[in-house]
Amino acid sequence: MEQKKKNPTDEYRALRNKVDNVSSSLSRQHATHLQCKKGCDLCCMDYSILPVEFYSILEELKSRGFKKDNLQLKGKKDEDCIFLKNHACTIYESRPLICRTHGLPLLYTNDDGEWELSTCELNFTAFNIENFSEQNTYPQDKFNSKLFLLNRKFIAESEDEKHFGEFDLIPLKKLADKL
């Protein structure tokens, strides 16, 4: 029997589900140290994302009938997320991976190849940083590597109007132009 070839956007959604599972587990594990909740938008800004994420989110928003009219574009600064309305994300179900990990302790390698930890300034205020380990932090490099490889596949299989380099990023607010 012939196996159906996976579409990069379907693979992206599967990766997003894995990120959600890890994020949920870490959120439960660190619940007493997280201040993140609906209404907190300290981390919300106009991130730039890889084309595979951009077009996957666009596809989902269009399929749900999301309209540009739902956005509050007036009074926004360039760095503000246009999908933030009344301190809540209007595309929460479709938000990018970076938004799915906010507030969690993120473990990654810096430019010098050393491990570094990043957390929200509001979280872990009464937590000893020495207690962080690979088991209780989000492995950012692992998931970013998988996302990068999916994006490479997406670009290789893209239609003619979608010419991107593998390091190209698209600002999230550009989604409004396509809705």
Side-chain angles (χ1 to χ4, degrees):
M1 185 186 288
E2 192 175 317
Q3 197 172 16
K4 186 180 174 189
K5 186 177 175 185
K6 282 193 173 183
N7 173 326
T9 55
D10 290 338
E11 289 182 72
Y12 163 74
R13 289 185 186 104
L15 176 63
R16 191 174 70 185
N17 288 339
K18 288 179 185 175
V19 167
D20 284 348
N21 289 337
V22 171
S23 296
S24 292
S25 175
L26 287 171
S27 291
R28 285 189 303 276
Q29 188 176 357
H30 294 298
T32 58
H33 300 286
L34 296 174
Q35 302 302 312
C36 305
K37 60 185 174 286
K38 189 173 181 176
C40 180
D41 59 7
L42 184 65
C43 300
C44 301
M45 58 186 69
D46 182 43
Y47 290 101
S48 291
I49 57 178
L50 293 169
V52 69
E53 271 200 290
F54 183 90
Y55 285 98
S56 295
I57 292 169
L58 179 63
E59 185 180 288
E60 286 181 13
L61 295 179
K62 283 183 173 183
S63 74
R64 288 199 328 251
F66 191 94
K67 300 285 184 220
K68 188 176 181 175
D69 302 347
N70 297 350
L71 304 173
Q72 290 182 317
L73 301 173
K74 290 186 179 183
K76 294 274 187 179
K77 296 180 215 146
D78 282 347
E79 66 274 5
D80 290 343
C81 181
I82 63 169
F83 296 103
L84 196 60
K85 187 175 183 178
N86 299 323
H87 304 281
C89 181
T90 58
I91 63 166
Y92 190 80
E93 297 83 20
S94 301
R95 71 197 185 284
L97 294 187
I98 191 168
C99 302
R100 292 168 184 274
T101 63
H102 279 323
L104 299 174
L106 307 176
L107 189 62
Y108 64 97
T109 51
N110 63 22
D111 292 338
D112 297 326
E114 298 169 349
W115 286 107
E116 198 162 315
L117 182 72
S118 173
T119 63
C120 173
E121 63 191 60
L122 301 177
N123 297 335
F124 302 101
T125 55
F127 188 86
N128 184 347
I129 197 164
E130 300 297 321
N131 290 332
F132 283 120
S133 67
E134 286 185 53
Q135 288 72 39
N136 67 359
T137 57
Y138 177 80
Q140 188 170 353
D141 290 348
K142 172 185 168 184
F143 286 109
N144 282 352
S145 295
K146 289 179 181 189
L147 179 61
F148 182 80
L149 293 174
L150 277 176
N151 188 63
R152 183 183 282 167
K153 182 177 177 181
F154 175 81
I155 291 167
E157 296 177 9
S158 287
E159 301 162 8
D160 290 338
E161 80 260 9
K162 298 177 189 169
H163 288 290
F164 299 103
E166 60 183 30
F167 297 103
D168 289 347
L169 298 171
I170 308 168
L172 201 53
K173 69 178 153 203
K174 295 283 186 188
L175 284 166
D177 300 339
K178 305 242 181 223
L179 291 172

